[in-house]
C-alpha cells in the first residue's frame, strides 16, 4: 500500500524486531505500539531470517530532541510521558546503531538552562536547548545521555517548556559538525508540551525551510497535547518536506 508522506511519526515495536515507522501521531502508549508498515512484518521465521540478511539501512547521523519540561510528568502515558519518551528513544537508538554500525546518534534536551555551544561543551546563548552528546556511535555515551536527561521548568516561556525552533537550530549545527559527512541527516523531535501562542507558525516554517536547505530530514513524535500541537507541528514538517499545508498523514 502507498504510505503517506513523512509527517508526525512514532516508534512502533514488533515482538521480534523494532522499526521506526510513519503514523499520524503517537496517540497510543508505548505498550500498544505495533508495526504500521505491513510490508516489513515477517510472516514466518524463514521470512524473518531472510529480511535480517537483506534489509540494510543507509548510513545516517541522527539527533534526538527530547522534551524534558515539567509537562512530561503527566501520567496519561504509563507511567509518565517522560518514561514513555525514554522507552521510545531507546528503541530508536538501538535500531539506528544496529541497522548500520557506522550510523551515529546525538541527544539534545530541549528544556535546558542555557544552550550548549556545539563542539565546545561550554554553556552560552539563551535558546534553552542543551546538547547532551554530539553524534556518536558510542552506545555508552548515548545511553548515559538518555538516562541523564533532567526535568526542568518552562524557563522564560510560561506556555511551553520547549523552544522547538531554537532546538532544531542547535541540532542542525551539531549535524553540520558530524564526523562522517557522507551519510544522511535526520532530526527526531519528541514533543509532550503544549505549544503556546508565542510559538509563531512563521518561525516554525523558517526552521523547517532551514532544515530542507541543509538536507536534514525531520520526524516528530507527539506525546499528547495533539489538539494544541498537531497543526503547528504539521507546519514545521511540511516546510521541511517542501510542501504546503494539508500534510500526508491521517
Amino acid at each position: 500500500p502507498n504510505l503517506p508522506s513523512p509527517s508526525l511519526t512514532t516508534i512502533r515495536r514488533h515482538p521480534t524486531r523494532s522499526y521506526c515507522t510513519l503514523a499520524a501521531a503517537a496517540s497510543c502508549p508505548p505498550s500498544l505500539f505495533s508495526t504500521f508498515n505491513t510490508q516489513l512484518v515477517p510472516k514466518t521465521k524463514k521470512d524473518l531470517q531472510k529480511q535480517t540478511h537483506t534489509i540494510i539501512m543507509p548510513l545516517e547521523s541522527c539527533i534526538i530532541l527530547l522534551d524534558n519540561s515539567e509537562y512530561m510528568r503527566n501520567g496519561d502515558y504509563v507511567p509518565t510521558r517522560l518514561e514513555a519518551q525514554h522507552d521510545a528513544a531507546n528503541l530508536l537508538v538501538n535500531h539506528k546503531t544496529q541497522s548500520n554500525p557506522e550510523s551515529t546518534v546525538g541527544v539534545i534536551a530541549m528544556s535546558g538552562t542555557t544552550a550548549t555551544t556545539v563542539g565546545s561543551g561550554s554553556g552560552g546563548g539563551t535558546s534553552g536547548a542543551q546538547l547532551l552528546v554530539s553524534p556518536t556511535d558510542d552506545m555508552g555515551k548515548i545511553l548515559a545521555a538518555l538516562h541523564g536527561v533532567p526535568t526542568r521548568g518552562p524557563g522564560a516561556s510560561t506556555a511551553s517548556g520547549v523552544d522547538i525552533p531554537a532546538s532544531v537550530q542547535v541540532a542542525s549545527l551539531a549535524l553540520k559538525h558530524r564526523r562522517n559527512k557522507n551519510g544522511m541527516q535526520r532530526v527526531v523531535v519528541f514533543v509532550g508540551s503544549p505549544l503556546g501562542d508565542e510559538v509563531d507558525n512563521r518561525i516554525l516554517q523558517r526552521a523547517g525551510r532551514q532544515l530542507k536547505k541543509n538536507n536534514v530530514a525531520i520526524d516528530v513524535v507527539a506525546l499528547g497535547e495533539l489538539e494544541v500541537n498537531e497543526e503547528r507541528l504539521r507546519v514545521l514538517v511540511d516546510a521541511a518536506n517542501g510542501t504546503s499545508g494539508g500534510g500526508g498523514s491521517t
Side-chain angles (χ1 to χ4, degrees), residues 18-36:
S18 298
Y19 304 95
C20 178
T21 61
L22 303 176
S27 56
C28 59
S31 60
L32 299 180
F33 287 165
S34 60
T35 304
F36 177 72

Side-chain angles (χ1 to χ4, degrees), residues 162-233:
V162 296
D163 187 344
I164 292 180
S167 300
V168 167
Q169 184 179 18
V170 173
S172 183
L173 288 173
L175 288 172
K176 184 178 180 180
H177 293 81
R178 68 192 185 281
R179 180 181 60 192
N180 194 329
K181 306 291 185 180
N182 297 324
M184 300 171 60
Q185 304 175 78
R186 182 174 299 276
V187 171
V188 180
V189 186
F190 287 85
V191 184
S193 304
L195 303 180
D197 295 335
E198 74 282 355
V199 181
D200 189 79
N201 284 350
R202 290 174 297 180
I203 299 177
L204 292 172
Q205 286 179 336
R206 188 156 55 244
R209 287 195 294 266
Q210 188 64 34
L211 289 176
K212 179 176 175 60
K213 179 180 178 181
N214 295 332
N215 294 320
V216 179
I218 184 171
D219 294 320
V220 176
V221 182
L223 296 168
E225 311 296 342
L226 292 180
E227 298 82 1
V228 180
N229 293 345
E230 185 171 4
E231 181 179 352
R232 289 175 179 170
L233 293 176

Side-chain angles (χ1 to χ4, degrees), residues 44-57:
T44 65
K45 184 176 181 180
K46 184 177 180 181
D47 292 336
L48 173 60
Q49 293 174 344
K50 183 177 179 180
Q51 283 192 3
T52 303
H53 294 288
T54 58
I55 296 179
I56 300 176
M57 300 299 291

Side-chain angles (χ1 to χ4, degrees), residues 105-127:
V105 179
V107 181
I108 288 178
M110 292 193 289
S111 182
T113 53
T114 57
T116 300
T117 302
V118 176
S120 67
S122 59
T126 58
S127 72

Side-chain angles (χ1 to χ4, degrees), residues 66-197:
L66 300 176
D67 188 337
N68 60 318
S69 68
E70 292 290 341
Y71 290 98
M72 299 302 286
R73 298 184 186 275
N74 196 312
D76 53 348
Y77 285 75
V78 180
T80 63
R81 292 181 182 180
L82 189 65
E83 290 297 324
Q85 173 184 250
H86 182 267
D87 291 343
N90 268 330
L91 284 174
L92 179 60
V93 168
N94 288 330
H95 176 74
K96 294 291 184 185
T97 55
Q98 292 177 11
S99 61
N100 191 312
E102 295 186 13
S103 291
T104 58
V105 179
V107 181
I108 288 178
M110 292 193 289
S111 182
T113 53
T114 57
T116 300
T117 302
V118 176
S120 67
S122 59
T126 58
S127 72
Q130 184 177 4
L131 180 64
L132 300 179
V133 60
S134 298
T136 178
D137 56 3
D138 188 332
M139 281 294 293
K141 291 183 179 179
I142 298 171
L143 294 178
L146 291 177
H147 283 279
V149 176
T151 302
R152 296 194 173 108
S157 172
T158 58
S160 176
V162 296
D163 187 344
I164 292 180
S167 300
V168 167
Q169 184 179 18
V170 173
S172 183
L173 288 173
L175 288 172
K176 184 178 180 180
H177 293 81
R178 68 192 185 281
R179 180 181 60 192
N180 194 329
K181 306 291 185 180
N182 297 324
M184 300 171 60
Q185 304 175 78
R186 182 174 299 276
V187 171
V188 180
V189 186
F190 287 85
V191 184
S193 304
L195 303 180
D197 295 335

